[in-house]
Amino acid sequence: MTDQAKIEKDFWDALDSDRTVMLARAGVETAAPRPMTAIVEEKPGPVWFFTARDTELMDGLAPGAGAMFTFSDKGHKVFATVTGRLTEHTDPETVERLWNPFIGAWYEGKDDPKLVLLRFDPDQAEIWDSGNALVAGAKILLSSDPGESMKDRVAHVNY
């Protein structure tokens, strides 16, 4: 496995485990990035999000609208920015398959009229694998440039 492929795999594994991203629509100044729970069934996507119909994220959403999310895993080892297309998904079977108690806590059931399922199809990703943060910190303390060792730890991926 190439370094790029490993970095990409590590990202999808981390996203599947940690799930919290900051999601924003492209070109929508009134809708700041929002923390959202990402649900990944297949790698590299789609990535699924449940939201409410009355949110700024949904205001004027056209099918295939540009969107992006940023991600950092809990251990601060993997960081990513992912761009793609966001579309409302109305298939009740998909809602049923992805439904879980955490989603249920926010809504009055799967038939809640406010409930919306969004499908995010990634176009591109820039993924950073920071490796061992202690090593990077030590390099800084010793006046070494940690960025030099990071240049091979970044993956640029097109989907």
Side-chain angles (χ1 to χ4, degrees):
M1 179 180 303
T2 66
D3 289 343
Q4 295 276 309
K6 181 177 180 338
I7 292 169
E8 182 183 9
K9 179 187 179 315
D10 289 349
F11 160 68
W12 286 105
D13 289 348
L15 181 62
D16 191 34
S17 172
D18 292 347
R19 294 186 167 194
T20 302
V21 304
M22 294 297 289
L23 177 66
R25 286 190 27 218
V28 180
E29 294 176 15
T30 59
R34 299 286 189 247
M36 301 287 287
T37 300
I39 302 171
V40 178
E41 292 182 294
E42 301 172 26
K43 299 166 188 172
V47 181
W48 302 97
F49 300 97
F50 283 97
T51 192
R53 189 159 303 285
D54 59 354
T55 62
E56 292 173 339
L57 186 63
M58 289 299 299
D59 190 28
L61 178 70
M68 59 91 59
F69 69 80
T70 57
F71 171 77
S72 172
D73 73 331
K74 291 177 186 171
H76 302 283
K77 182 179 182 285
V78 178
F79 301 87
T81 300
V82 183
T83 60
R85 302 282 156 210
L86 198 59
T87 304
E88 182 176 345
H89 194 79
T90 58
D91 177 31
E93 290 177 14
T94 307
V95 171
E96 179 69 33
R97 187 177 72 245
L98 299 175
W99 189 262
N100 64 62
F102 298 107
I103 303 301
W106 292 90
Y107 301 98
E108 296 179 15
K110 299 170 199 160
D111 296 324
D112 188 329
K114 293 188 313 184
L115 180 69
V116 178
L117 178 61
L118 296 174
R119 176 185 171 128
F120 179 92
D121 291 293
D123 292 332
Q124 296 182 328
E126 187 170 65
I127 306 162
W128 299 268
D129 178 353
S130 68
N132 188 331
L134 292 174
V135 171
K139 287 183 177 187
I140 292 170
L141 289 173
L142 298 171
S143 299
S144 178
D145 181 6
E148 186 63 30
S149 63
M150 283 296 295
K151 66 182 178 185
D152 295 330
R153 301 178 79 76
V154 178
H156 299 273
V157 183
N158 293 311
Y159 296 104

mmCIF file of all heavy atoms in Angstrom, residues 24-54:
data_model
loop_
_atom_site.group_PDB
_atom_site.id
_atom_site.type_symbol
_atom_site.label_atom_id
_atom_site.label_comp_id
_atom_site.label_asym_id
_atom_site.label_seq_id
_atom_site.Cartn_x
_atom_site.Cartn_y
_atom_site.Cartn_z
ATOM 1 N N ALA A 24 -20.316 22.362 5.969
ATOM 2 C CA ALA A 24 -20.781 23.657 5.464
ATOM 3 C C ALA A 24 -21.143 23.518 3.995
ATOM 4 O O ALA A 24 -20.581 22.686 3.285
ATOM 5 C CB ALA A 24 -19.697 24.713 5.615
ATOM 6 N N ARG A 25 -22.072 24.352 3.560
ATOM 7 C CA ARG A 25 -22.392 24.430 2.139
ATOM 8 C C ARG A 25 -21.516 25.480 1.489
ATOM 9 O O ARG A 25 -21.236 26.521 2.072
ATOM 10 C CB ARG A 25 -23.864 24.795 1.952
ATOM 11 C CG ARG A 25 -24.741 23.612 2.278
ATOM 12 C CD ARG A 25 -26.190 23.766 1.923
ATOM 13 N NE ARG A 25 -26.486 24.666 0.837
ATOM 14 C CZ ARG A 25 -27.553 25.467 0.844
ATOM 15 N NH1 ARG A 25 -28.379 25.488 1.874
ATOM 16 N NH2 ARG A 25 -27.795 26.251 -0.175
ATOM 17 N N ALA A 26 -21.098 25.221 0.289
ATOM 18 C CA ALA A 26 -20.271 26.172 -0.448
ATOM 19 C C ALA A 26 -21.105 27.372 -0.870
ATOM 20 O O ALA A 26 -22.257 27.221 -1.282
ATOM 21 C CB ALA A 26 -19.670 25.491 -1.675
ATOM 22 N N GLY A 27 -20.547 28.565 -0.706
ATOM 23 C CA GLY A 27 -21.203 29.773 -1.183
ATOM 24 C C GLY A 27 -22.393 30.232 -0.383
ATOM 25 O O GLY A 27 -23.149 31.080 -0.843
ATOM 26 N N VAL A 28 -22.606 29.692 0.808
ATOM 27 C CA VAL A 28 -23.734 30.107 1.640
ATOM 28 C C VAL A 28 -23.165 30.840 2.854
ATOM 29 O O VAL A 28 -22.712 30.224 3.806
ATOM 30 C CB VAL A 28 -24.596 28.897 2.081
ATOM 31 C CG1 VAL A 28 -25.752 29.359 2.946
ATOM 32 C CG2 VAL A 28 -25.101 28.145 0.871
ATOM 33 N N GLU A 29 -23.172 32.175 2.767
ATOM 34 C CA GLU A 29 -22.547 32.979 3.811
ATOM 35 C C GLU A 29 -23.305 32.944 5.133
ATOM 36 O O GLU A 29 -22.725 33.121 6.187
ATOM 37 C CB GLU A 29 -22.407 34.421 3.328
ATOM 38 C CG GLU A 29 -21.449 34.552 2.164
ATOM 39 C CD GLU A 29 -21.383 35.967 1.637
ATOM 40 O OE1 GLU A 29 -21.849 36.891 2.325
ATOM 41 O OE2 GLU A 29 -20.866 36.132 0.524
ATOM 42 N N THR A 30 -24.619 32.718 5.085
ATOM 43 C CA THR A 30 -25.413 32.758 6.311
ATOM 44 C C THR A 30 -25.362 31.449 7.092
ATOM 45 O O THR A 30 -25.834 31.392 8.212
ATOM 46 C CB THR A 30 -26.884 33.090 5.994
ATOM 47 O OG1 THR A 30 -27.399 32.096 5.103
ATOM 48 C CG2 THR A 30 -26.999 34.474 5.376
ATOM 49 N N ALA A 31 -24.828 30.399 6.504
ATOM 50 C CA ALA A 31 -24.790 29.101 7.169
ATOM 51 C C ALA A 31 -23.341 28.747 7.512
ATOM 52 O O ALA A 31 -22.602 28.241 6.674
ATOM 53 C CB ALA A 31 -25.410 28.025 6.293
ATOM 54 N N ALA A 32 -22.960 29.049 8.733
ATOM 55 C CA ALA A 32 -21.610 28.712 9.189
ATOM 56 C C ALA A 32 -21.475 27.195 9.293
ATOM 57 O O ALA A 32 -22.473 26.483 9.422
ATOM 58 C CB ALA A 32 -21.351 29.358 10.551
ATOM 59 N N PRO A 33 -20.249 26.675 9.227
ATOM 60 C CA PRO A 33 -20.065 25.230 9.409
ATOM 61 C C PRO A 33 -20.695 24.769 10.718
ATOM 62 O O PRO A 33 -20.625 25.450 11.738
ATOM 63 C CB PRO A 33 -18.548 25.061 9.438
ATOM 64 C CG PRO A 33 -18.030 26.244 8.698
ATOM 65 C CD PRO A 33 -18.983 27.367 9.006
ATOM 66 N N ARG A 34 -21.328 23.600 10.665
ATOM 67 C CA ARG A 34 -22.028 23.053 11.821
ATOM 68 C C ARG A 34 -21.446 21.693 12.177
ATOM 69 O O ARG A 34 -21.109 20.906 11.287
ATOM 70 C CB ARG A 34 -23.511 22.845 11.487
ATOM 71 C CG ARG A 34 -24.249 24.107 11.118
ATOM 72 C CD ARG A 34 -24.510 24.953 12.352
ATOM 73 N NE ARG A 34 -25.391 26.060 12.048
ATOM 74 C CZ ARG A 34 -25.003 27.325 12.081
ATOM 75 N NH1 ARG A 34 -23.778 27.633 12.378
ATOM 76 N NH2 ARG A 34 -25.863 28.287 11.818
ATOM 77 N N PRO A 35 -21.366 21.394 13.476
ATOM 78 C CA PRO A 35 -20.934 20.039 13.846
ATOM 79 C C PRO A 35 -22.033 19.048 13.484
ATOM 80 O O PRO A 35 -23.203 19.265 13.792
ATOM 81 C CB PRO A 35 -20.728 20.127 15.364
ATOM 82 C CG PRO A 35 -21.522 21.307 15.807
ATOM 83 C CD PRO A 35 -21.632 22.238 14.644
ATOM 84 N N MET A 36 -21.641 18.004 12.785
ATOM 85 C CA MET A 36 -22.591 17.004 12.320
ATOM 86 C C MET A 36 -21.997 15.618 12.534
ATOM 87 O O MET A 36 -20.779 15.448 12.535
ATOM 88 C CB MET A 36 -22.887 17.186 10.831
ATOM 89 C CG MET A 36 -23.454 18.544 10.447
ATOM 90 S SD MET A 36 -25.161 18.778 10.957
ATOM 91 C CE MET A 36 -26.016 17.723 9.802
ATOM 92 N N THR A 37 -22.875 14.642 12.674
ATOM 93 C CA THR A 37 -22.447 13.246 12.801
ATOM 94 C C THR A 37 -22.457 12.609 11.421
ATOM 95 O O THR A 37 -23.493 12.535 10.772
ATOM 96 C CB THR A 37 -23.384 12.480 13.745
ATOM 97 O OG1 THR A 37 -23.354 13.106 15.030
ATOM 98 C CG2 THR A 37 -22.961 11.030 13.878
ATOM 99 N N ALA A 38 -21.292 12.177 10.991
ATOM 100 C CA ALA A 38 -21.132 11.537 9.685
ATOM 101 C C ALA A 38 -21.350 10.033 9.833
ATOM 102 O O ALA A 38 -20.822 9.410 10.747
ATOM 103 C CB ALA A 38 -19.732 11.808 9.145
ATOM 104 N N ILE A 39 -22.110 9.471 8.916
ATOM 105 C CA ILE A 39 -22.331 8.028 8.891
ATOM 106 C C ILE A 39 -21.747 7.510 7.579
ATOM 107 O O ILE A 39 -22.139 7.958 6.498
ATOM 108 C CB ILE A 39 -23.824 7.679 8.998
ATOM 109 C CG1 ILE A 39 -24.420 8.255 10.283
ATOM 110 C CG2 ILE A 39 -24.027 6.169 8.928
ATOM 111 C CD1 ILE A 39 -25.932 8.158 10.378
ATOM 112 N N VAL A 40 -20.803 6.583 7.710
ATOM 113 C CA VAL A 40 -20.117 6.028 6.541
ATOM 114 C C VAL A 40 -20.409 4.539 6.481
ATOM 115 O O VAL A 40 -20.128 3.807 7.423
ATOM 116 C CB VAL A 40 -18.592 6.250 6.634
ATOM 117 C CG1 VAL A 40 -17.891 5.637 5.437
ATOM 118 C CG2 VAL A 40 -18.266 7.723 6.774
ATOM 119 N N GLU A 41 -20.995 4.105 5.370
ATOM 120 C CA GLU A 41 -21.226 2.680 5.161
ATOM 121 C C GLU A 41 -20.176 2.088 4.235
ATOM 122 O O GLU A 41 -19.753 0.964 4.404
ATOM 123 C CB GLU A 41 -22.607 2.440 4.550
ATOM 124 C CG GLU A 41 -23.744 2.769 5.463
ATOM 125 C CD GLU A 41 -25.056 2.445 4.789
ATOM 126 O OE1 GLU A 41 -25.407 3.096 3.783
ATOM 127 O OE2 GLU A 41 -25.732 1.523 5.273
ATOM 128 N N GLU A 42 -19.826 2.852 3.219
ATOM 129 C CA GLU A 42 -18.853 2.415 2.228
ATOM 130 C C GLU A 42 -17.746 3.452 2.163
ATOM 131 O O GLU A 42 -17.974 4.629 2.402
ATOM 132 C CB GLU A 42 -19.504 2.292 0.850
ATOM 133 C CG GLU A 42 -20.662 1.324 0.793
ATOM 134 C CD GLU A 42 -21.394 1.389 -0.554
ATOM 135 O OE1 GLU A 42 -20.760 1.779 -1.551
ATOM 136 O OE2 GLU A 42 -22.573 1.051 -0.582
ATOM 137 N N LYS A 43 -16.581 3.007 1.819
ATOM 138 C CA LYS A 43 -15.455 3.926 1.683
ATOM 139 C C LYS A 43 -15.043 3.939 0.225
ATOM 140 O O LYS A 43 -14.845 2.867 -0.336
ATOM 141 C CB LYS A 43 -14.306 3.460 2.579
ATOM 142 C CG LYS A 43 -14.707 3.437 4.042
ATOM 143 C CD LYS A 43 -13.729 2.681 4.886
ATOM 144 C CE LYS A 43 -14.291 2.519 6.292
ATOM 145 N NZ LYS A 43 -13.517 1.671 7.124
ATOM 146 N N PRO A 44 -15.070 5.046 -0.440
ATOM 147 C CA PRO A 44 -15.054 6.440 -0.018
ATOM 148 C C PRO A 44 -16.404 7.153 -0.064
ATOM 149 O O PRO A 44 -16.524 8.224 -0.636
ATOM 150 C CB PRO A 44 -14.095 7.081 -0.997
ATOM 151 C CG PRO A 44 -14.366 6.365 -2.277
ATOM 152 C CD PRO A 44 -14.692 4.940 -1.862
ATOM 153 N N GLY A 45 -17.375 6.633 0.523
ATOM 154 C CA GLY A 45 -18.649 7.329 0.613
ATOM 155 C C GLY A 45 -19.715 6.608 -0.181
ATOM 156 O O GLY A 45 -19.448 5.551 -0.748
ATOM 157 N N PRO A 46 -20.921 7.136 -0.169
ATOM 158 C CA PRO A 46 -21.277 8.451 0.329
ATOM 159 C C PRO A 46 -21.206 8.555 1.854
ATOM 160 O O PRO A 46 -21.143 7.545 2.551
ATOM 161 C CB PRO A 46 -22.716 8.624 -0.145
ATOM 162 C CG PRO A 46 -23.256 7.234 -0.232
ATOM 163 C CD PRO A 46 -22.082 6.377 -0.639
ATOM 164 N N VAL A 47 -21.206 9.802 2.311
ATOM 165 C CA VAL A 47 -21.270 10.099 3.742
ATOM 166 C C VAL A 47 -22.674 10.635 3.999
ATOM 167 O O VAL A 47 -23.165 11.479 3.250
ATOM 168 C CB VAL A 47 -20.200 11.143 4.143
ATOM 169 C CG1 VAL A 47 -20.267 11.425 5.633
ATOM 170 C CG2 VAL A 47 -18.807 10.669 3.730
ATOM 171 N N TRP A 48 -23.305 10.115 5.031
ATOM 172 C CA TRP A 48 -24.698 10.468 5.330
ATOM 173 C C TRP A 48 -24.778 11.353 6.567
ATOM 174 O O TRP A 48 -24.023 11.167 7.522
ATOM 175 C CB TRP A 48 -25.510 9.202 5.579
ATOM 176 C CG TRP A 48 -25.499 8.251 4.430
ATOM 177 C CD1 TRP A 48 -24.688 7.163 4.268
ATOM 178 C CD2 TRP A 48 -26.337 8.287 3.273
ATOM 179 N NE1 TRP A 48 -24.972 6.522 3.094
ATOM 180 C CE2 TRP A 48 -25.986 7.189 2.456
ATOM 181 C CE3 TRP A 48 -27.359 9.133 2.859
ATOM 182 C CZ2 TRP A 48 -26.615 6.928 1.250
ATOM 183 C CZ3 TRP A 48 -27.993 8.862 1.649
ATOM 184 C CH2 TRP A 48 -27.613 7.776 0.859
ATOM 185 N N PHE A 49 -25.740 12.292 6.525
ATOM 186 C CA PHE A 49 -25.998 13.185 7.658
ATOM 187 C C PHE A 49 -27.503 13.302 7.857
ATOM 188 O O PHE A 49 -28.243 13.500 6.890
ATOM 189 C CB PHE A 49 -25.446 14.592 7.400
ATOM 190 C CG PHE A 49 -23.967 14.654 7.163
ATOM 191 C CD1 PHE A 49 -23.456 14.681 5.877
ATOM 192 C CD2 PHE A 49 -23.085 14.686 8.234
ATOM 193 C CE1 PHE A 49 -22.089 14.747 5.653
ATOM 194 C CE2 PHE A 49 -21.724 14.742 8.017
ATOM 195 C CZ PHE A 49 -21.223 14.771 6.722
ATOM 196 N N PHE A 50 -27.951 13.215 9.099
ATOM 197 C CA PHE A 50 -29.336 13.540 9.432
ATOM 198 C C PHE A 50 -29.348 14.981 9.921
ATOM 199 O O PHE A 50 -28.460 15.404 10.671
ATOM 200 C CB PHE A 50 -29.865 12.633 10.550
ATOM 201 C CG PHE A 50 -30.228 11.251 10.087
ATOM 202 C CD1 PHE A 50 -29.341 10.207 10.222
ATOM 203 C CD2 PHE A 50 -31.479 11.000 9.525
ATOM 204 C CE1 PHE A 50 -29.674 8.926 9.802
ATOM 205 C CE2 PHE A 50 -31.830 9.715 9.104
ATOM 206 C CZ PHE A 50 -30.920 8.681 9.243
ATOM 207 N N THR A 51 -30.353 15.740 9.510
ATOM 208 C CA THR A 51 -30.512 17.113 9.972
ATOM 209 C C THR A 51 -31.995 17.452 10.008
ATOM 210 O O THR A 51 -32.838 16.626 9.675
ATOM 211 C CB THR A 51 -29.723 18.101 9.073
ATOM 212 O OG1 THR A 51 -29.682 19.383 9.716
ATOM 213 C CG2 THR A 51 -30.329 18.224 7.695
ATOM 214 N N ALA A 52 -32.296 18.667 10.414
ATOM 215 C CA ALA A 52 -33.688 19.128 10.464
ATOM 216 C C ALA A 52 -33.970 20.033 9.274
ATOM 217 O O ALA A 52 -33.092 20.769 8.803
ATOM 218 C CB ALA A 52 -33.947 19.874 11.768
ATOM 219 N N ARG A 53 -35.183 19.963 8.799
ATOM 220 C CA ARG A 53 -35.588 20.731 7.630
ATOM 221 C C ARG A 53 -35.475 22.242 7.850
ATOM 222 O O ARG A 53 -35.218 22.994 6.913
ATOM 223 C CB ARG A 53 -37.027 20.363 7.250
ATOM 224 C CG ARG A 53 -37.454 20.944 5.936
ATOM 225 C CD ARG A 53 -38.610 20.239 5.310
ATOM 226 N NE ARG A 53 -38.425 18.827 5.079
ATOM 227 C CZ ARG A 53 -37.682 18.287 4.107
ATOM 228 N NH1 ARG A 53 -37.023 19.056 3.290
ATOM 229 N NH2 ARG A 53 -37.593 16.975 3.969
ATOM 230 N N ASP A 54 -35.619 22.694 9.086
ATOM 231 C CA ASP A 54 -35.636 24.137 9.354
ATOM 232 C C ASP A 54 -34.258 24.697 9.714
ATOM 233 O O ASP A 54 -34.154 25.743 10.344
ATOM 234 C CB ASP A 54 -36.654 24.458 10.447
ATOM 235 C CG ASP A 54 -36.371 23.743 11.761
ATOM 236 O OD1 ASP A 54 -35.452 22.896 11.812
ATOM 237 O OD2 ASP A 54 -37.080 24.019 12.746
#
